[in-house]
Short mmCIF file of all heavy atoms in Angstrom, two decimals:
data_model
loop_
_atom_site.label_atom_id
_atom_site.label_comp_id
_atom_site.label_asym_id
_atom_site.label_seq_id
_atom_site.Cartn_x
_atom_site.Cartn_y
_atom_site.Cartn_z
N SER L 9 46.45 6.76 39.23
CA SER L 9 46.44 6.30 40.62
C SER L 9 47.83 5.83 41.01
O SER L 9 48.50 5.15 40.25
CB SER L 9 45.44 5.16 40.76
OG SER L 9 45.51 4.64 42.05
N VAL L 13 44.87 -1.12 42.09
CA VAL L 13 43.48 -1.40 42.45
C VAL L 13 43.41 -2.84 42.91
O VAL L 13 43.79 -3.76 42.20
CB VAL L 13 42.57 -1.20 41.24
CG1 VAL L 13 41.16 -1.63 41.57
CG2 VAL L 13 42.60 0.25 40.82
N GLY L 31 44.51 -4.65 55.77
CA GLY L 31 43.35 -3.76 55.99
C GLY L 31 43.45 -2.53 55.11
O GLY L 31 42.45 -2.07 54.57
N LEU L 184 29.00 31.72 52.80
CA LEU L 184 29.17 33.18 52.79
C LEU L 184 28.69 33.68 54.15
O LEU L 184 27.49 33.85 54.39
CB LEU L 184 28.35 33.78 51.65
CG LEU L 184 28.55 35.27 51.38
CD1 LEU L 184 29.99 35.58 51.04
CD2 LEU L 184 27.66 35.75 50.23
N THR L 258 43.04 26.82 76.91
CA THR L 258 43.75 26.77 75.62
C THR L 258 42.87 26.14 74.54
O THR L 258 42.75 26.64 73.43
CB THR L 258 45.03 25.90 75.75
OG1 THR L 258 45.69 26.26 76.93
CG2 THR L 258 45.94 26.07 74.55
N MET L 277 47.01 40.06 42.09
CA MET L 277 47.75 39.22 41.16
C MET L 277 49.23 39.31 41.48
O MET L 277 49.74 40.40 41.66
CB MET L 277 47.50 39.79 39.76
CG MET L 277 47.94 38.89 38.67
SD MET L 277 46.83 37.50 38.59
CE MET L 277 47.85 36.41 37.63
N PRO L 278 49.95 38.19 41.54
CA PRO L 278 51.39 38.29 41.77
C PRO L 278 52.07 38.90 40.55
O PRO L 278 51.50 38.95 39.47
CB PRO L 278 51.81 36.82 41.96
CG PRO L 278 50.78 36.03 41.26
CD PRO L 278 49.51 36.82 41.35
N TRP L 346 24.26 10.29 58.24
CA TRP L 346 24.05 9.46 57.04
C TRP L 346 24.82 10.01 55.84
O TRP L 346 25.52 9.29 55.14
CB TRP L 346 22.53 9.41 56.76
CG TRP L 346 22.17 8.55 55.58
CD1 TRP L 346 22.28 7.20 55.50
CD2 TRP L 346 21.60 8.99 54.33
NE1 TRP L 346 21.81 6.75 54.28
CE2 TRP L 346 21.39 7.84 53.54
CE3 TRP L 346 21.23 10.23 53.82
CZ2 TRP L 346 20.85 7.89 52.27
CZ3 TRP L 346 20.69 10.30 52.55
CH2 TRP L 346 20.50 9.14 51.78
N GLU L 376 23.27 2.12 56.24
CA GLU L 376 21.94 2.03 55.63
C GLU L 376 20.81 2.00 56.67
O GLU L 376 19.64 2.19 56.34
CB GLU L 376 21.83 0.82 54.70
CG GLU L 376 22.14 -0.50 55.34
CD GLU L 376 23.58 -0.94 55.07
OE1 GLU L 376 24.48 -0.07 55.11
OE2 GLU L 376 23.78 -2.13 54.81
N SER L 544 8.09 33.14 40.41
CA SER L 544 7.48 34.48 40.39
C SER L 544 7.77 35.20 41.70
O SER L 544 7.81 34.61 42.77
CB SER L 544 5.97 34.34 40.22
OG SER L 544 5.37 35.57 40.43
N GLU L 591 37.25 37.85 7.95
CA GLU L 591 36.52 38.00 9.22
C GLU L 591 37.26 37.25 10.34
O GLU L 591 37.42 37.77 11.45
CB GLU L 591 35.11 37.42 9.04
CG GLU L 591 34.18 37.65 10.21
CD GLU L 591 32.86 36.88 10.03
OE1 GLU L 591 32.54 36.46 8.89
OE2 GLU L 591 32.17 36.71 11.02
N SER L 662 68.05 44.85 21.57
CA SER L 662 67.35 45.40 22.74
C SER L 662 66.12 46.12 22.25
O SER L 662 66.13 46.75 21.20
CB SER L 662 68.25 46.35 23.51
OG SER L 662 68.56 47.47 22.71
N SER L 692 46.69 38.60 3.52
CA SER L 692 47.34 38.94 2.25
C SER L 692 47.10 37.84 1.21
O SER L 692 46.76 38.12 0.06
CB SER L 692 48.84 39.12 2.49
OG SER L 692 49.48 39.45 1.30
N LEU L 733 59.08 33.45 7.71
CA LEU L 733 59.61 34.65 7.03
C LEU L 733 59.83 34.33 5.56
O LEU L 733 59.52 35.15 4.68
CB LEU L 733 60.92 35.08 7.69
CG LEU L 733 61.67 36.23 7.00
CD1 LEU L 733 60.82 37.48 6.92
CD2 LEU L 733 62.98 36.55 7.71
N TYR L 761 46.29 50.12 -1.19
CA TYR L 761 47.55 50.04 -0.45
C TYR L 761 47.62 51.11 0.65
O TYR L 761 48.13 50.86 1.74
CB TYR L 761 48.70 50.19 -1.44
CG TYR L 761 50.08 50.16 -0.83
CD1 TYR L 761 50.60 48.98 -0.29
CD2 TYR L 761 50.89 51.29 -0.82
CE1 TYR L 761 51.88 48.94 0.25
CE2 TYR L 761 52.17 51.25 -0.28
CZ TYR L 761 52.65 50.08 0.25
OH TYR L 761 53.92 50.03 0.80
N TYR L 763 45.13 52.54 2.24
CA TYR L 763 44.04 52.52 3.23
C TYR L 763 44.52 51.81 4.50
O TYR L 763 45.25 50.83 4.43
CB TYR L 763 42.84 51.77 2.63
CG TYR L 763 41.73 51.51 3.62
CD1 TYR L 763 40.85 52.53 3.97
CD2 TYR L 763 41.58 50.27 4.22
CE1 TYR L 763 39.84 52.30 4.89
CE2 TYR L 763 40.58 50.02 5.14
CZ TYR L 763 39.70 51.04 5.46
OH TYR L 763 38.71 50.82 6.39
N ARG L 777 56.95 50.76 19.19
CA ARG L 777 57.54 50.90 20.53
C ARG L 777 58.84 50.09 20.63
O ARG L 777 59.69 50.38 21.45
CB ARG L 777 56.57 50.40 21.60
CG ARG L 777 55.35 51.28 21.80
CD ARG L 777 54.32 50.56 22.64
NE ARG L 777 54.82 50.19 23.96
CZ ARG L 777 54.68 50.94 25.06
NH1 ARG L 777 54.03 52.08 25.01
NH2 ARG L 777 55.18 50.55 26.21
N ASN L 821 62.84 21.26 4.44
CA ASN L 821 61.65 21.79 3.76
C ASN L 821 61.85 21.81 2.26
O ASN L 821 61.86 22.87 1.63
CB ASN L 821 61.34 23.21 4.27
CG ASN L 821 61.08 23.23 5.75
OD1 ASN L 821 60.00 22.94 6.21
ND2 ASN L 821 62.11 23.58 6.52
N ARG L 836 62.23 35.44 -13.29
CA ARG L 836 63.37 35.76 -14.18
C ARG L 836 62.94 35.61 -15.64
O ARG L 836 63.40 36.37 -16.50
CB ARG L 836 64.55 34.84 -13.85
CG ARG L 836 65.27 35.32 -12.61
CD ARG L 836 66.42 34.47 -12.18
NE ARG L 836 67.21 35.17 -11.18
CZ ARG L 836 67.95 34.57 -10.26
NH1 ARG L 836 68.00 33.25 -10.23
NH2 ARG L 836 68.64 35.27 -9.40
N GLN L 846 60.95 44.97 -24.82
CA GLN L 846 61.47 46.35 -24.96
C GLN L 846 62.40 46.45 -26.16
O GLN L 846 62.35 47.42 -26.93
CB GLN L 846 62.22 46.75 -23.69
CG GLN L 846 61.30 47.27 -22.58
CD GLN L 846 62.08 48.06 -21.54
OE1 GLN L 846 63.18 47.68 -21.16
NE2 GLN L 846 61.51 49.15 -21.09
N GLY L 899 65.23 31.00 -27.62
CA GLY L 899 65.15 30.85 -29.08
C GLY L 899 64.45 32.05 -29.69
O GLY L 899 64.89 32.59 -30.72
N LEU L 976 72.89 35.82 -53.29
CA LEU L 976 73.58 35.39 -54.51
C LEU L 976 74.99 35.98 -54.60
O LEU L 976 75.84 35.44 -55.31
CB LEU L 976 72.76 35.79 -55.74
CG LEU L 976 71.41 35.04 -55.86
CD1 LEU L 976 70.52 35.69 -56.90
CD2 LEU L 976 71.65 33.57 -56.20
N CYS L 1011 49.27 23.78 -38.76
CA CYS L 1011 50.32 22.86 -39.23
C CYS L 1011 50.03 22.42 -40.67
O CYS L 1011 50.95 22.34 -41.50
CB CYS L 1011 50.39 21.63 -38.31
SG CYS L 1011 51.00 22.01 -36.66
N LEU L 1049 55.41 16.07 -57.32
CA LEU L 1049 55.19 15.56 -55.96
C LEU L 1049 54.71 16.67 -55.02
O LEU L 1049 53.70 16.53 -54.31
CB LEU L 1049 56.50 14.94 -55.43
CG LEU L 1049 56.48 14.48 -53.97
CD1 LEU L 1049 55.69 13.18 -53.83
CD2 LEU L 1049 57.90 14.28 -53.43
N LYS L 1094 48.02 14.88 -74.88
CA LYS L 1094 47.97 14.22 -73.57
C LYS L 1094 48.20 15.23 -72.44
O LYS L 1094 47.49 15.24 -71.42
CB LYS L 1094 49.05 13.12 -73.53
CG LYS L 1094 48.94 12.20 -72.33
CD LYS L 1094 50.02 11.13 -72.40
CE LYS L 1094 49.94 10.25 -71.15
NZ LYS L 1094 51.02 9.23 -71.18
N GLU L 1148 41.48 39.55 -54.81
CA GLU L 1148 42.33 38.41 -55.10
C GLU L 1148 41.57 37.36 -55.90
O GLU L 1148 42.07 36.81 -56.88
CB GLU L 1148 42.84 37.80 -53.77
CG GLU L 1148 43.98 36.83 -53.99
CD GLU L 1148 44.53 36.26 -52.69
OE1 GLU L 1148 44.07 36.68 -51.60
OE2 GLU L 1148 45.41 35.40 -52.76
N LYS L 1176 42.04 16.30 -89.65
CA LYS L 1176 42.35 16.49 -91.06
C LYS L 1176 43.31 15.41 -91.55
O LYS L 1176 43.20 14.89 -92.65
CB LYS L 1176 42.97 17.87 -91.29
CG LYS L 1176 41.91 18.97 -91.31
CD LYS L 1176 42.60 20.33 -91.48
CE LYS L 1176 41.55 21.45 -91.41
NZ LYS L 1176 42.21 22.76 -91.47
N GLN L 1222 30.30 21.04 -67.88
CA GLN L 1222 30.21 20.59 -69.29
C GLN L 1222 31.44 19.77 -69.66
O GLN L 1222 31.33 18.73 -70.29
CB GLN L 1222 30.13 21.82 -70.23
CG GLN L 1222 28.91 22.69 -70.03
CD GLN L 1222 27.68 22.13 -70.75
OE1 GLN L 1222 27.78 21.31 -71.66
NE2 GLN L 1222 26.49 22.53 -70.31
#
Side-chain angles (χ1 to χ4, degrees):
S9 175
V13 174
L184 188 59
T258 315
M277 193 71 197
W346 182 68
E376 57 263 40
S544 170
E591 187 188 343
S662 64
S692 181
L733 174 59
Y761 179 69
Y763 172 78
R777 290 168 60 93
N821 300 278
R836 282 178 167 154
Q846 276 198 320
L976 294 167
C1011 292
L1049 175 75
K1094 190 178 177 182
E1148 194 178 356
K1176 281 178 183 175
Q1222 297 279 341

